Amino acid sequence: VKAKWQTPFFMNTIREDIHIGKLIHTHLKEHGQSVAFLARELGCQREQCYRIFAKKSIDTDLLIRIAKILQYDFFSYYNSCL
């Protein structure tokens, strides 16, 4: 009988505790940067940014781009889960 692959415990913690979209939106507001600014830097419409803010998790390449634009290490939120 093959053993079923189980999700490591820390992956469950990440999904339950971190809502990266909300964290990005909060950081943007706290630093006086507009959604229009982020959209312009990402090369997308503001509506797409609001979709990002609504997501609990996003693609790592996108998170890297946002982190560079906002000059903030959003990955630090995940380091505590490792």
Side-chain angles (χ1 to χ4, degrees), residues 5-18 56 78 81-82:
W5 185 82
Q6 293 182 339
T7 303
F9 73 93
F10 64 86
M11 290 182 82
N12 289 332
T13 303
I14 290 171
R15 289 192 181 114
E16 292 173 9
D17 294 343
I18 299 171
K56 192 172 178 97
Y78 298 103
C81 296
L82 299 177

Side-chain angles (χ1 to χ4, degrees), residues 6-45:
Q6 293 182 339
T7 303
F9 73 93
F10 64 86
M11 290 182 82
N12 289 332
T13 303
I14 290 171
R15 289 192 181 114
E16 292 173 9
D17 294 343
I18 299 171
H19 191 298
I20 197 65
K22 286 181 182 178
L23 293 170
I24 293 167
H25 194 206
T26 299
H27 179 85
L28 198 67
K29 290 190 296 186
E30 287 177 351
H31 289 85
Q33 295 168 310
S34 68
V35 177
F37 162 77
L38 182 60
R40 198 170 39 253
E41 293 296 312
L42 287 173
C44 67
Q45 300 293 318

Side-chain angles (χ1 to χ4, degrees), residues 21 25 30 48 53 55 57 76:
H25 194 206
E30 287 177 351
Q48 182 61 31
F53 303 152
K55 291 185 176 188
S57 64
S76 64

